[in-house]
Every structure is written in structure tokens, then in C-alpha cells.
Amino acid sequence: YKISCLNNLYNMRWDISRFDQIRRVGKVVLFGLLVIFLITLDPTNPFSEGRISIIIYGIVLFITINFGRMLIISFEKWLSILEYGKHHTLLVGDTEKARKLLKDIQSNPHLLYDLVGYLSKDKKDKSFYDLPNLGRYDDIVDIIRIESIEEVIIAINERSRDEILNIVAHAENTGVVFKIIPQFYDVVSGHKTEEMIGHPLIRLFPESMYLWQWGAKRLFDLIMSTVLSILLMPFIILIIITQALTGIYPFFTQTLSVGKFGKVFNLINFNYLPRSERSRSIIGNILFVSRIYKLPALIN
């Protein structure tokens, strides 16, 4: 149970193929078996009867877990509940590709999209194949909030690369799932994507780390920021003394920044502008050009 939680096996999305689900379960079971093998290793008798039983147990576990999961998923699909209920979806674009995608969604009951409307480049007071126009691309954040959108499908022209990335950038902290049609893959190359087998769309920015990985990363961040803050303390004190001698005051500034889940926080930096002047001094220029002024962000 704990290993399953740490590897997000209880949080797999509805659009992940059955093959990928079985593969992820298999990796976790195999890892568990390897751990047990190492703990119970007896160099004099590496293939004892008890260790053969562990292999048989692993095979039975793999089969029963996957059979149970598929049974529960089938039940959820039948009742259209939990992850397999309809998802409030927003369509971005009113192109020919968007029309074909609408046709695919309407003809495939396994695609659990509840399309509430579409966005266009310019506000239009007309529907798009029975979908109401909810506004322009720039309105995406407000529409997501008002309509409780869970998924956003982008189906505009491939030539609009900057437009696609701007749409994503506007709403990346809203917690929605972004999907694009496969023809846009070249447009978003360099960004993390995940292709879903049997699905006409590609997901942008899929969850790339499991719970234990997030925990390890957070622990690493805390340790490294603490160690660096201590080691660099003499250097930080030297910078503050230099600021005081050159009239740069206050020593620190706070800038409102947007963090995880759209949370706004105060980012701490060194001040590089003298209080009595608008232009930077030599020390201020050194702090700014070298980006040393960002050093106090270790606290964040």
C-alpha cells in the first residue's frame, strides 16, 4: 500500500492506457521483489525454497493487482463516476482541426469530455457546431475559473506557435490539464509531453515525478539551501557591508512572484539601487550583471 501511494498508483488519470497502467504496476511489484530479495539474501543458498516462494508471490501479486484494478475501472466506467465521470473541457480554436476533433469526441463514448464552450482569437457571438463562444484567448484564466474547467484542448493553426505558448503560459498555474492535437507536436517540442495510446490527443506537461520523488526533491532543496546559506554567510555579510558603504539601502527587496499552484509570495533579493539615485552604482551593476543579487532567494 505504501509503495503504491509513493508511486502514485492510486492517482492514474482516466486517459492513461491499460498497457501503461499494467506497466507501472509491474515496475512497482518488481521493485518490491528486488528489495525483499536483497534483504533475505543468503549467499550460501541464493535460490532456497523460501526465495522461490517470493517469486511465485510476486507473480500472483502482479496478476491479482492488475485484475482488481481493471475490475474496479470497469465498474467506474459503467457508472461514470470518480475519474471516469465527464470532465468539464474547454476548446481553444474554431479551426477545421477543431471541427474534426469535435466529431471524434462525439463519436467516441470513451473520450470523457464535457465540452462547455470554445475560445476564439476574436470575440464571436456565434456558436461553433453547437458550442457557445465564451470569449477570446486572453480570457482563458477567467473562463477556467467561472466554468470550473478541468481540461483544455488547443486546436488552433500550427503556424500560431507563439499564440499556443502564450495560451499555455497564461493558464499554466490554474491546475488544468492541457492537451493538443498530434500535429502540434513540433510546435511544442522542447516541452514535456505524453502520448496516450488510443487517444487522439497529446497531454502537455504530464506529472513527471511520483510522491517519493517530490519528497526527495523537497528534502534535497531544504538541505542544499541551508548548507549554502551557512557557507555563503561571510560573502553575504561582505555584500551588506559594501551596500552600506555605497549608499544602497535597504539591503534587501521583496518582489511579488507567482509560485506553485498560482500562489503569490515575496521573493527576497539583494537591493542594487542606491536610495538617493535612480541609476545603479558600480557595486549595483556588479550585483545585477552577475545575478548575485538573487542570492537571498535561497531563503525562499
Side-chain angles (χ1 to χ4, degrees), residues 160-178:
S160 310
R161 182 181 188 278
D162 291 338
E163 210 157 45
I164 294 172
L165 298 180
N166 283 335
I167 291 168
V168 174
H170 266 88
E172 66 176 344
N173 289 315
T174 57
V176 299
V177 174
F178 282 97

Side-chain angles (χ1 to χ4, degrees), residues 25-35:
V25 170
K27 285 171 63 177
V28 172
V29 171
L30 180 61
F31 174 77
L33 283 177
L34 289 175
V35 171

